[in-house]
Amino acid sequence: MIKNISVIGAGTMGHGIANVFAMYGYKVSMYDRNKKNHENVIDEIKSELEFMAEEKYIDKELINLTLSNIKIFSSLKETIENADYVIETISEDIKSKQELFNQLDKICPIHTILSSNTSSLSLSEITKDISIERKKRVMICHWYNPAHLMPIIELSYFGNMSEDIFLDVYALYISIEKQPIKVKKDIPGMIANRLLHALAREVFHLIETGAASSEDVEKALKYGPGFRSATTGILESADLGGLDIWCAVEDNLFKELNNSDKACDLMKQKIKEGCLGLKTDEGFFKYPKDKKEKIRKDFFRRLIIQLKASKNY
Ligand SMILES: NC(=O)c1ccc[n+]([C@@H]2O[C@H](COP(=O)([O-])OP(=O)(O)OC[C@H]3O[C@@H](n4cnc5c(N)ncnc54)[C@H](O)[C@@H]3O)[C@@H](O)[C@H]2O)c1
């Protein structure tokens, strides 16, 4: 049974992942090679917990309890000493992840399960130089951002590990109220990102070709397919609508859809101009400095409302 968790990398994803495990009572040890992040990470987790309490998603008492379950270490070796399960969530760089896995393989207890939060790298590449025994205890556990509010977790089951180990990790994620997806093939993007970017390609194409304004394309998604998808998947929607109709529509539409194998030019142009989104005050939309905090909180608030609604469903 998994009790002690180590999170390696305390950036955007790492702090959120540590937050969730600690909130559900697990002892979490953390490590980041950048010491500056050691100072920020607890403040960031605290502020997210306070916001969840303000929105009445968690009890106030949970804030200190959660924080007391997290400890940050200044050496990797100390961090993983008692770990049953390690999740690395360091930069998306194959060499760094390989080096880290090689190190973890050597210094972790024999029973420790090692996992990666990679969004795009192959598990067999990341773990290519680790011991044969450890290869039976490695997997991808892919979270979605923001980790403390998105219910999905994608778990690899690529044939390298026994079902017992997989089920231990599956049970771990059920215990923190995530919705695990068992991914059976080592394919780039796992499942959720493939779905997301198939849709994103058409969104960018519609804007680039002037089919509708950016605001209206977003609105069509939020109040059309996106609205329904939060409660009803594509297959169920097709069943409800009638497969004969869906089939006719797809035969007519698929040949019209964008099938580019590159990110869209409009986005590349924006990047050239230094418009990277919220972090640079402008992306597809504008983010005035004095409104940024409110924009971020509104984003979190909407997810909390969805979470509350999906719990009562
Ligand atoms: N940001 C997202 O939306 C998102 C979503 C899902 C998955 N992911 C994946 O999660 C991972 C982390 O992404 P992020 O957005 O949190 O990145 P980030 O840059 O915010 O954080 C990475 C952290 O890892 C630390 N780090 C780098 N190398 C290290 C090492 N060798 N040892 C210890 N610490 C190290 C860095 O100092 C940094 O604090 C990536 O694999 C990414 O693909 C990201």
Side-chain angles (χ1 to χ4, degrees):
M1 203 176 141
I2 298 170
K3 282 192 182 146
N4 298 321
I5 313 268
S6 295
V7 178
I8 315 299
T12 308
M13 296 305 289
H15 83 273
I17 293 171
N19 184 354
V20 179
F21 281 124
M23 209 162 69
Y24 285 82
Y26 290 95
K27 295 287 173 209
V28 180
S29 54
M30 288 193 88
Y31 172 75
D32 195 291
R33 71 174 174 194
N34 181 353
K35 297 278 178 306
K36 269 192 195 151
N37 282 1
H38 292 200
E39 290 152 27
N40 301 339
V41 68
I42 294 295
D43 287 346
E44 238 173 300
I45 293 174
K46 188 163 178 257
S47 111
E48 286 172 4
L49 287 164
E50 282 169 350
F51 186 67
M52 285 195 276
E54 261 169 51
E55 293 296 311
K56 303 200 179 347
Y57 183 61
I58 60 165
D59 290 336
K60 262 191 181 157
E61 294 73 59
L62 204 54
I63 300 176
N64 285 336
L65 256 171
T66 301
L67 294 173
S68 70
N69 282 335
I70 303 173
K71 202 165 169 198
I72 304 175
F73 290 86
S74 50
S75 90
L76 183 62
K77 196 157 183 292
E78 277 179 288
T79 313
I80 52 75
E81 228 156 40
N82 297 311
D84 300 312
Y85 171 82
V86 176
I87 177 155
E88 74 72 18
T89 184
I90 67 167
S91 327
E92 188 77 338
D93 171 64
I94 185 71
K95 281 225 167 76
S96 308
K97 289 202 195 272
Q98 281 168 339
E99 269 170 34
L100 180 61
F101 264 78
N102 293 348
Q103 228 178 330
L104 289 170
D105 176 27
K106 291 196 183 88
I107 62 177
C108 282
I110 292 168
H111 76 282
T112 310
I113 300 166
L114 305 182
S115 71
S116 171
N117 184 36
T118 180
S119 308
S120 60
L121 302 169
S122 143
L123 180 65
S124 49
E125 266 298 294
I126 295 173
T127 59
K128 75 179 173 57
D129 295 325
I130 66 170
S131 62
I132 292 172
E133 268 317 298
R134 185 77 68 181
K135 279 186 182 164
K136 296 176 190 160
R137 313 182 82 80
V138 294
M139 64 193 295
I140 293 175
C141 296
H142 181 243
W143 292 61
Y144 242 53
N145 185 33
H148 66 300
L149 296 176
M150 289 298 289
I152 187 173
I153 178 79
E154 294 177 294
L155 306 178
S156 72
Y157 188 55
F158 296 161
N160 60 303
M161 68 202 304
S162 72
E163 193 178 16
D164 284 355
I165 296 175
F166 178 81
L167 289 177
D168 275 353
V169 177
Y170 193 94
L172 169 71
Y173 280 98
I174 291 288
S175 75
I176 60 168
E177 296 192 78
K178 292 290 176 191
Q179 296 284 346
I181 313 298
K182 183 181 189 179
V183 183
K184 297 188 283 185
K185 275 197 170 173
D186 193 354
I187 47 172
M190 307 278 271
I191 305 298
N193 273 342
R194 292 176 81 101
L195 298 176
L196 172 67
H197 289 285
L199 188 57
R201 178 165 56 190
E202 191 60 27
V203 166
F204 295 131
H205 175 70
L206 289 169
I207 294 166
E208 259 186 332
T209 53
S213 67
S214 305
E215 287 79 5
D216 274 346
V217 173
E218 296 277 81
K219 205 165 151 191
L221 179 63
K222 283 195 266 189
Y223 296 102
F227 192 86
R228 190 171 58 197
S229 296
T231 58
T232 310
I234 294 286
L235 303 179
E236 200 183 347
S237 289
D239 278 350
L240 291 173
L243 299 189
D244 48 339
I245 307 296
W246 272 60
C247 188
V249 171
E250 293 194 351
D251 269 344
N252 290 333
L253 262 192
F254 274 6
K255 54 183 179 290
E256 303 295 332
L257 300 181
N258 185 255
N259 65 358
S260 163
D261 64 358
K262 300 217 164 47
C264 76
D265 289 340
L266 178 62
M267 186 147 60
K268 287 183 180 155
Q269 183 57 33
K270 289 209 174 275
I271 294 167
K272 244 190 208 166
E273 291 164 5
C275 298
L276 306 182
L278 187 80
K279 59 186 167 188
T280 59
D281 310 343
E282 189 175 340
F284 286 101
F285 300 110
K286 289 197 168 39
Y287 304 96
K289 279 201 175 38
D290 57 331
K291 298 220 170 86
K292 275 190 196 181
E293 192 49 24
K294 183 180 175 321
I295 290 168
R296 233 169 65 89
K297 283 197 166 163
D298 283 347
F299 169 52
F300 285 172
R301 185 174 293 112
R302 292 195 297 270
L303 291 175
I304 289 174
I305 291 168
Q306 269 178 281
L307 273 174
K308 282 183 188 166
S310 63
K311 277 192 179 162
N312 297 332
Y313 182 62

